[in-house]
Amino acid sequence: MIVNKPLVLTYLYLLIYILLSSGVILYNKWVLSPKYFDFPFPITLTMIHMGFSGAVAFFLIRVFKVVSPVKMTLEIYITCVVPISAFFAASLWFGNTAYLYISVAFIQMLKALMPVATFIMAVMCGTDKARCDVFLNMLLVSVGVVISSYGEIHFNVVGTLYQVTGIFAEALRLVLTQVLLQKKGLTLNPITSLYYIAPCSFVFLCAPWYVLEKPGMEVSQIQFNFWIFFSNALCALALNFSIFLVIGRTGAVTIRVAGVLKDWILIALSTIIFPESTITGLNIIGYAIALCGVVMYNYLKVKDVRASQVPENISDRIAKDWKLEKKSSDTFTPNNSSDNNGGGSGGNISSSDMNVDEEAPLIPSSRLSHFGRTQLSK
């Protein structure tokens, strides 16, 4: 029996991605929940992740020279990186705080609203047009989420507002990434994204941390276990790279399908690991309706992209084949720019072809939308 090694490796990467993504979400819930590790300081946890990720990226770029930094000017940094980092920090802050109030399963169901939020922000920013068919899909998603929320036994208004606010902050970050960075021709791989955005997000989180969490940390008995926080931050960082590897070998569509599978696995696991996370039939029905809307929306976007691709005429095709034949006969010279972007197939992926995961939002988003939000250090 002949084993297809590339296919096996691809499935292995997908498995690692699903395990890491699910593991990071459950790990964060366990750390933050008062019923378990009892570290109810989500901003502090996020700052630990940002500091760790920024430090790792600095060493990879400046010390070990794994990749080269992009040509970042002060004007691009102020007008692009700073606002993107601000909304990134906000999405992490609100998303992580939701863990204190609502269950992991219900949070995953609320994340079905991500395409709705992204579509609304894209229309407001002028990167997408309001269409009747897309609006009906978004309405279907919203109805499904409302039904799922109605069926939630432990519904909490505060936690729901935190999560929805975080979703819209992340949606605005995704649109800003497309509007600001992509229009300037700047493509960031996971390492360079961490290098530029993580430290800036850390700075933005300092103000709310000083006002909201510092006073509470001074008077409470804090459990600080170095290995728990180190392993938690390491898992979040590894998730970023696993997504990059998966997209490099498969594509954004495949990782979206894997993301749906991961969501269902995560909902099931959360009810086992956290017994208080009870799922009702109405939860499942609402979430299934919402997912149907999301799938239809992504199908429309894929159709739009294919329709926008003009078929090549015969003369263009002949000219292209001639150029490829001529190029193949030339002496091969390594492409330094490809190596600098991370090497391999993953290094040349444009940000428009990338997806975003709930725990790794530094990975650029796909213009075909996605099934759920995610955060690097949720």
Side-chain angles (χ1 to χ4, degrees):
M1 180 179 176
I2 301 175
V3 179
N4 190 333
K5 290 185 179 179
L7 186 63
V8 171
L9 195 59
T10 299
Y11 281 115
L12 179 62
Y13 284 161
L14 283 170
L15 177 63
I16 292 172
Y17 155 69
I18 292 174
L19 291 176
L20 281 173
S21 183
S22 303
V24 169
I25 293 172
L26 295 172
Y27 202 169
N28 288 336
K29 174 66 176 179
W30 182 81
V31 170
L32 293 169
S33 177
K35 293 184 179 180
Y36 299 96
F37 186 71
D38 192 18
F39 186 80
F41 302 105
I43 302 176
T44 305
L45 182 65
T46 305
M47 292 176 70
I48 291 172
H49 290 170
M50 290 296 93
F52 178 78
S53 299
V56 170
F58 175 83
F59 278 100
L60 290 176
I61 291 176
R62 295 297 182 185
V63 179
F64 298 107
K65 310 289 185 183
V66 175
V67 296
S68 298
V70 299
K71 294 180 180 179
M72 181 69 67
T73 64
L74 182 61
E75 184 265 337
I76 293 178
Y77 191 85
I78 293 175
T79 59
C80 298
V81 175
V82 170
I84 289 172
S85 300
F87 286 104
F88 177 41
S91 68
L92 296 179
W93 169 17
F94 292 122
N96 288 336
T97 306
Y99 283 115
L100 299 176
Y101 301 95
I102 53 181
S103 67
V104 171
F106 186 47
I107 285 175
Q108 294 305 117
M109 294 175 188
L110 287 175
K111 284 174 183 175
L113 283 173
M114 189 63 203
V116 179
T118 306
F119 176 69
I120 292 173
M121 293 301 175
V123 171
M124 291 175 62
C125 294
T127 60
D128 206 344
K129 294 181 180 180
R131 292 164 43 187
C132 184
D133 53 353
V134 175
F135 175 77
L136 290 176
N137 285 334
M138 297 301 97
L139 186 62
L140 183 63
V141 173
S142 302
V143 168
V145 172
V146 169
I147 293 173
S148 181
S149 301
Y150 184 77
E152 177 64 19
I153 295 177
H154 305 291
F155 181 81
N156 184 284
V157 176
V158 176
T160 302
L161 288 175
Y162 268 119
Q163 182 60 36
V164 172
T165 304
I167 288 172
F168 274 88
E170 174 65 7
L172 188 54
R173 183 196 71 82
L174 296 177
V175 174
L176 286 178
T177 300
Q178 180 182 337
V179 172
L180 299 177
L181 288 183
Q182 293 181 15
K183 282 191 175 180
K184 293 182 182 294
L186 191 63
T187 301
L188 301 178
N189 62 41
I191 300 176
T192 53
S193 294
L194 292 170
Y195 179 74
Y196 292 110
I197 296 176
C200 190
S201 297
F202 181 93
V203 173
F204 274 109
L205 290 168
C206 288
W209 173 81
Y210 186 82
V211 175
L212 299 175
E213 293 191 0
K214 184 175 180 292
M217 296 178 72
E218 291 175 347
V219 298
S220 63
Q221 297 291 329
I222 302 174
Q223 266 192 104
F224 191 89
N225 186 307
F226 170 80
W227 292 109
I228 285 180
F229 289 104
F230 175 75
S231 60
N232 183 262
L234 191 63
C235 287
L237 183 67
L239 176 59
N240 261 287
F241 297 124
S242 73
I243 296 174
F244 192 63
L245 289 173
V246 168
I247 295 178
R249 294 190 66 87
T250 58
V253 175
T254 302
I255 201 171
R256 269 188 226 110
V257 175
V260 175
L261 176 63
K262 181 261 300 180
D263 286 343
W264 285 107
I265 293 173
L266 189 54
I267 290 172
L269 282 177
S270 66
T271 60
I272 298 173
I273 298 174
F274 306 110
E276 69 276 8
S277 302
T278 307
I279 298 178
T280 64
L282 210 53
N283 282 142
I284 299 299
I285 292 172
Y287 186 54
I289 292 172
L291 275 186
C292 287
V294 173
V295 171
M296 291 169 64
Y297 172 69
N298 279 276
Y299 171 74
L300 286 175
K301 300 303 285 185
V302 170
K303 216 164 110 181
D304 290 343
V305 170
R306 287 178 178 173
S308 65
Q309 294 173 348
V310 181
E312 293 178 319
N313 57 41
I314 297 177
S315 59
D316 290 339
R317 184 64 189 172
I318 293 173
K320 186 176 179 181
D321 290 341
W322 180 81
K323 288 179 182 178
L324 288 173
E325 185 179 350
K326 182 178 183 299
K327 186 176 180 181
S328 64
S329 64
D330 295 336
T331 304
F332 173 72
T333 305
N335 189 340
N336 293 330
S337 62
S338 173
D339 295 339
N340 291 340
N341 285 330
S345 59
N348 293 324
I349 299 173
S350 67
S351 50
S352 64
D353 293 329
M354 293 237 182
N355 191 28
V356 64
D357 183 79
E358 305 168 39
E359 298 301 321
L362 286 178
I363 303 293
S365 63
S366 171
R367 295 179 65 180
L368 305 182
S369 182
H370 49 275
F371 283 101
R373 180 178 73 134
T374 293
Q375 297 174 353
L376 167 78
S377 57
K378 206 166 166 187

